[in-house]
Structure formats: structure tokens, C-alpha cells
Amino acid sequence: MEELHGKYLSFFLKGEEYAINISQIIEIIGMQAITQIPKTPDSIKGVINLRGKIIPIMDLRLKFGMEEKEYDERTCTIVVEIERDGEQRQVGLIVDTVNEVTNIENIDAPPTYDEQGYEKFILGIGKLKERVIMILDIKDVISTADADIANAATGKVEAKEEAKENYNNFKSKIESKCRNHNLNNTKN
């Protein structure tokens, strides 16, 4: 699997090491307040406002069917970018802890099973000294359905933020007119 060789960011979920090709990573951030979106899968935790951009957030533990873990000071979000339907989309992936950026040269094909579990998200198995690292296929992890749900949620939040801003602008104009009206009435 020579085409997979390269630099990867490794991280942990439930004590197991995973990796994502660094070319897909935008940044790593600490945990932030997440705005929940109703009627989304459990793995879609909601959205965050990252420097003015709304980013959907997915908990990889829940996506992989692992038990939920309370977030702590080591928990972080890896913001990745994928292409879907000709558009670049950013999604934040919550992981237990980030480990390191490493060069992985020795990568084997993933094992195949009759059942389709989360192993379908694995591009390969990296071997680094005594470590085994599961190389993730981010495009498959963030399925089309997840991306569509996340984008719909993002659109709803952006529309809600826009409506709130319009309301605040309207309210300011009305308050200003009322103040002007009161000043005119006190002069008479």
C-alpha cells in the first residue's frame, strides 16, 4: 500500500491509536461550547463558531459505536476538510487525545470481515516500531449522509444567526426612532 505512505496525525480513541493524513487537517483546537442541533444522529454533537465560521462537530467515539466519554482537558477537536459534491467542507472530529505527527511508511491493507463494522473506515494498518496505527479514510468516516446532516445543521444555525442579527438591527432602529420621538415631544 505504497500510495498511503506519508505524514499522519495520530490520536487516540478508547486507548487505540488512529491516524489521519495531515493533508486533510485544517487545525487542532481544544474543546469549545457546542450548540446542539435537534434531530441529528448521536455522533453529530452540534456546531461551533470558529472565528466566524460555523463548523459541524462529530464525536468519533460515537461514530464508531464506542461508549461516550466525558470530555476532559486532553479531549480535542481535529478540524478536517473533505470534498463532497464538488465543495470543500470542514468538519470537527472530537478525539480523546492527539498524539503526534509521524511519518508512516509501513502500511498494510486492513483486514476484511463479512460484517460491515467501523473497519470500513480503515484505509490501512500502519506499523511503526511496536505500534499498530489504524489509518482512517476520512471521506468514509464522514459519510455523505453525515455531511448532508451537518451541512443542513450548519445552514440552520447560519440562518438563525442571520435572523437574530436582522432582529437586533430592527430593534436598534426602532429604539432609535423612539428616542428621537421622545426628544421631539419633550421640546414641544
Side-chain angles (χ1 to χ4, degrees):
M1 302 201 70
E2 196 169 308
E3 69 278 2
L4 295 179
H5 297 179
K7 291 192 184 253
Y8 290 85
L9 174 71
S10 66
F11 59 90
F12 288 95
L13 291 173
K14 198 177 174 184
E16 297 296 330
E17 195 169 8
Y18 296 82
I20 300 171
N21 190 295
I22 61 167
S23 67
Q24 297 171 302
I25 297 171
I26 302 299
E27 65 183 296
I28 302 164
I29 58 174
M31 291 302 295
Q32 298 185 11
I34 299 172
T35 301
Q36 295 181 339
I37 305 296
K39 296 188 178 187
T40 56
D42 290 341
S43 62
I44 305 292
K45 300 307 280 183
V47 294
I48 62 170
N49 182 344
L50 184 62
R51 292 183 296 283
K53 184 168 183 162
I54 302 299
I55 306 287
I57 301 296
M58 174 187 288
D59 189 316
L60 277 185
R61 273 179 163 258
L62 299 179
K63 176 68 178 182
F64 291 166
M66 299 174 184
E67 73 273 359
E68 193 164 7
K69 176 183 180 267
E70 188 173 325
Y71 304 142
D72 59 29
E73 68 280 349
R74 297 193 60 154
T75 307
C76 58
T77 302
I78 302 170
V79 180
V80 298
E81 187 168 69
I82 61 165
E83 184 181 331
R84 280 276 184 240
D85 304 323
E87 286 184 36
Q88 296 297 103
R89 300 180 186 185
Q90 291 183 5
V91 176
L93 306 172
I94 299 173
V95 300
D96 293 351
T97 186
V98 168
N99 188 29
E100 65 182 352
V101 173
T102 188
N103 196 34
I104 303 176
E105 296 293 329
N106 192 357
I107 301 174
D108 290 344
T112 56
Y113 301 102
D114 291 337
E115 296 178 21
Q116 284 293 321
Y118 71 83
E119 65 273 358
K120 68 183 175 186
F121 305 133
I122 310 276
L123 276 176
I125 305 293
K127 296 180 282 184
L128 193 63
K129 298 181 184 173
E130 299 300 315
R131 294 165 36 202
V132 173
I133 303 170
M134 290 173 265
I135 311 288
L136 295 181
D137 183 348
I138 288 302
K139 286 184 180 179
D140 280 345
V141 170
I142 304 167
S143 68
T144 302
D146 289 331
D148 290 344
I149 289 167
N151 279 343
T154 301
K156 287 177 190 172
V157 169
E158 287 171 348
K160 185 176 178 181
E161 291 295 322
E162 185 178 332
K164 186 176 179 180
E165 185 177 327
N166 289 341
Y167 169 77
N168 287 335
N169 289 339
F170 176 74
K171 182 179 170 187
S172 294
K173 287 178 185 177
I174 295 298
E175 288 171 348
S176 176
K177 285 183 180 184
C178 287
R179 278 192 301 273
N180 289 340
H181 179 70
N182 286 341
L183 287 174
N184 289 336
N185 284 341
T186 56
K187 290 180 185 177
N188 295 334

